[in-house]
Amino acid sequence: QVQLVESGGGSVQAGGSLRLSCVASGFTLASSRRCMGWFRQAPGKEREGIAATFPPTGSTYYSDSVKGRFTISRDNAKNTVYLQMDSLKAEDTAIYYCAAGRVLSCGTWNSIENNDWGQGTQVTVSS
């Protein structure tokens, strides 16, 4: 059974940093070839994909809204994916979700379909 557990959310002032973690169980990052992504959903808005990585190769993908500020990485030995968030802005406030794609590539990494989801972690950035 696939399980994704996020941690690391919290409240921070604009310009600050946070690191989110997602521990996966029920499958192995390196061998499953599942695309691992981070999504977020702000109040009143749709869930959007912001970053993804393909664990076997370490390839990464970013939305324009976070490129240059956020970094996704993985530790295959710990079966964990991270999202380092720097230079945070008030508009980054959202619930952040870890996702494991059921399609075995990152070709559609920012689609909300065909994913297993974590429970989400709240990130609040005050200006």
Side-chain angles (χ1 to χ4, degrees), residues 9-25:
S11 297
V12 65
Q13 290 190 331
S17 299
L18 284 173
R19 188 175 83 151
L20 306 183
S21 299
C22 171
V23 179
S25 59

Side-chain angles (χ1 to χ4, degrees), residues 74-121:
R74 90 288 189 222
D75 185 330
N76 289 340
K78 294 182 178 180
N79 230 39
T80 299
V81 177
Y82 304 97
L83 185 69
Q84 177 66 41
M85 305 186 294
D86 298 318
S87 302
L88 282 161
K89 306 174 182 180
E91 51 263 43
D92 294 319
T93 296
I95 300 174
Y96 284 69
Y97 297 91
C98 178
R102 298 173 187 162
V103 177
L104 303 183
S105 77
C106 282
T108 54
W109 68 268
N110 58 352
S111 171
I112 63 172
E113 297 180 353
N114 296 314
N115 290 317
D116 291 306
W117 299 96
Q119 81 286 356
T121 185

Side-chain angles (χ1 to χ4, degrees), residues 43-78:
K45 294 189 176 181
E46 294 184 351
R47 190 171 299 189
E48 63 167 340
I50 57 171
T53 184
F54 189 58
T57 63
S59 298
T60 56
Y61 310 84
Y62 297 96
S63 67
D64 289 342
S65 61
V66 306
K67 195 175 297 182
R69 299 188 298 122
F70 292 9
T71 303
I72 189 170
S73 62
R74 90 288 189 222
D75 185 330
N76 289 340
K78 294 182 178 180

